[in-house]
Amino acid sequence: MTGTTATVTAARPPLRGWRDWRAWPDNLIRLWRRSLRFRTVMITLALTALTIMIACVWMALAIQDDLFRSRLTQVLSDAQRATLAAQTTLDASEPQGDTVQLQNLMRSVTDQLAQQSTSDMIAAFRIDTAASAIAPQNFTSGGLTEDTVSDGLREMVQSDAGKQWWQSVVVPAPTGGGEVPGIIVGQQILVPDVGAYELYFAYDLSSASQTLGFIQGTLWVVGIALVLLIGAISWFVLRSVTTPIGEAAETSAMLASGELGVRLDVHGEDELATLGRSFNAMADSLESQIKELADLSLVQQRFVSDVSHELRTPLTTIRLAADMINDQRDDFDPSTARAAELLNAQVQRFETLLTDLLEISRYDAGSVQLELEATSLAHLAEDVIGSMQQVAEQHDTDVRLVAPGGYSPVEMDPRRIRRIVRNLLGNAIEHGEGRPIVVTVDSNQHAVALAVRDYGLGMDPVDAERVFDRFWRADPSRKRTLGGTGLGLSIALGDARLHGGELAVWSQLGGGSNFVLTLPRHDGRLSGPSPIPVDPGDDGASGSEALGLTQPIVLPDHDRAPAPRGGTS
Ligand code: ADP
């Protein structure tokens, strides 16, 4: 299907409201595609957030490791110091195998350990499992039990007398209730007369993990604040770049739409200012070239108009002479008579061409005025069909009017509309191959329309696109009996547009053509679809088939009111 095309600026669909959350994904995708600023800020935010997150995690891990190591060094030296002090006391004593003395000695050593060490979770277990009557009991304090010490650690401590061993464990929280991460440190201590004991100190790491929690929290807060800050900064920085770009885009769109006087405001000397200056220079050159072309076109229009006017007078004389010669052709020999006939036909054609040229030059000069009159399109179509009945009969063509609507008068210039209908019908008869032609008139609340459907030669889509071009003819070799200047449809389109209406075409090679003229009822502009679709929908059915489908409608008398129809007239 081919219709007349109007240049439409591709309007960007507006974003649906942000209040409706279901529209958010669509809005965000559209914003991503449309806004350079939004896209750049989002990419900056994503990359900054990723970088800051990696930095925060790395820093948190490093700080955690550092805190642990320094606490470990501290607890190892604390345990070492306390153990050494206790060992010195034990070495200085001479219990001489006395149970009571050994018990007292062990008690004082336990007290000393508690004083020397910063931990109150201390335990000592005798290594030798053989029963002894004098050996002091194992002891535990501060909630440290035998279960807290793993078998692995105990084996290590038992295996090496001079070494310190440690292990990460969970220990009871110092505040009571729950458990906290901690370190347990073990080494041997030698009790005179009895033998070696495993000595364990447990330290909680709650203060270190509190510090770590605080640092991690601070890192996250700082990280998020940084991301937002960088986002805001890039938004403002980008604004200073994208705003001039947006202005340039808007200005070039205005320039493209024909506002040749628009220019960019240029400030400063940076790259954007250079761009603005170059843009303005380009616009200046474009404006002057277009002005030159417009002047040239004006000269051409004037030339066509002047030549047409100048030709009118001699042509009238030639026409009179040709008529006279033609009237007397019976007195001539056959070849002169034929020449007289040809002369007459060509002079007629010349006259039509001249009239069309004058009309076109009036359009170009913008000096066409409509003489509006309330007119019934259905009755106008009936008149035109009547006036062309003879031509139709010459072509053995049956013209049928189907008018379910379009009776009520609409403001139009009847002389011009009649000319359009005559042209469409003339073309249909010319190219209809003698098949029936259906003229349809219908209306809706916005518009009235008239369609001329023929089932003749038709055109391929490329030809149909060009049908309204001046001087264009689908196939100049086609036999021509009517019109033939190639200006008829161009004038018809001009007339339709002057009314605020439209002229559209559907055509199929071998399937015929359908021309639809649509005129607005009000305001001089179309505000809805045409009452008659340009695609006839019969897909090139032969004329007689189509006529079989359409019921002949007897037109009401001019003075009789049309049959009422819902929504249309
Ligand atoms: P012309 O005066 O040559 O008829 P128009 O502007 O009216 O000029 O038409 C331009 C060309 O469009 C015609 O020469 C013809 O080739 C083609 N055309 C117009 N109407 C029809 C139709 N109904 N069927 C096929 N071709 C058509």
Side-chain angles (χ1 to χ4, degrees), residues 423 427-428 431 454 457-459 467 472-475 478 480 483-490 513 515:
N423 185 277
N427 279 342
H431 305 286
D454 70 74
L457 292 173
M459 289 168 279
V467 88
W472 184 87
R473 285 186 280 163
D475 179 2
R478 287 179 186 181
R480 312 211 54 99
T485 61
L487 287 171
L489 284 175
S490 158
S513 309
F515 283 85

Side-chain angles (χ1 to χ4, degrees), residues 31 50 79-80 105 146 151 187 189 249 254 291 295 300 344 364 385 401 483 496 504 534 548 562:
L31 209 58
L50 186 73
Q80 182 75 6
L105 178 64
E146 220 171 326
D151 290 344
Q187 66 191 92
I189 189 168
M254 283 161 82
K291 202 171 163 317
D295 289 347
Q300 280 177 346
N344 196 43
D364 290 346
I385 293 173
L401 175 64
V534 68

Side-chain angles (χ1 to χ4, degrees), residues 353-568:
L353 178 66
L354 213 58
T355 316
D356 284 355
L357 274 175
L358 271 171
E359 186 67 5
I360 288 272
S361 62
R362 253 179 247 129
Y363 275 118
D364 290 346
S367 62
V368 181
Q369 287 289 326
L370 287 182
E371 286 166 24
L372 295 177
E373 225 175 85
T375 311
S376 156
L377 189 60
H379 293 145
L380 184 145
E382 191 190 11
D383 286 349
V384 176
I385 293 173
S387 73
M388 295 192 73
Q389 202 57 47
Q390 209 184 341
V391 185
E393 275 163 17
Q394 278 167 13
H395 284 77
D396 281 339
T397 305
D398 180 14
V399 182
R400 179 163 292 187
L401 175 64
V402 179
Y407 294 96
S408 69
V410 173
E411 288 288 310
M412 63 178 86
D413 184 335
R415 188 181 69 82
R416 289 177 190 279
I417 300 302
R418 200 168 284 128
R419 180 167 65 185
I420 299 178
V421 181
R422 211 178 299 127
N423 185 277
L424 297 181
L425 197 54
N427 279 342
I429 294 171
E430 181 92 20
H431 305 286
E433 305 274 275
R435 298 203 184 106
I437 292 167
V438 183
V439 178
T440 312
V441 182
D442 204 351
S443 66
N444 59 23
Q445 60 204 104
H446 311 290
V448 284
L450 175 142
V452 179
R453 170 80 170 109
D454 70 74
Y455 298 88
L457 292 173
M459 289 168 279
D460 63 36
V462 182
D463 284 350
E465 285 270 347
R466 304 201 51 202
V467 88
F468 298 105
D469 291 355
R470 289 176 186 181
F471 296 110
W472 184 87
R473 285 186 280 163
D475 179 2
S477 68
R478 287 179 186 181
K479 183 169 75 92
R480 312 211 54 99
T481 50
L482 301 169
T485 61
L487 287 171
L489 284 175
S490 158
I491 294 175
L493 181 65
D495 279 336
R497 288 198 171 151
L498 222 75
H499 283 80
E502 197 49 281
L503 184 58
V505 59
W506 170 96
S507 197
Q508 202 178 59
L509 206 58
S513 309
N514 190 36
F515 283 85
V516 179
L517 165 73
T518 311
L519 300 174
R521 271 186 187 283
H522 324 281
D523 306 334
R525 65 188 171 88
L526 290 174
S527 53
S530 172
I532 306 176
V534 68
D535 186 343
D538 55 13
D539 239 356
S542 81
S544 13
E545 272 172 49
L547 278 182
L549 294 172
T550 52
Q551 291 300 314
I553 291 184
V554 180
L555 277 174
D557 291 345
H558 285 225
D559 50 3
R560 228 179 31 211
R565 298 176 72 249
T568 58

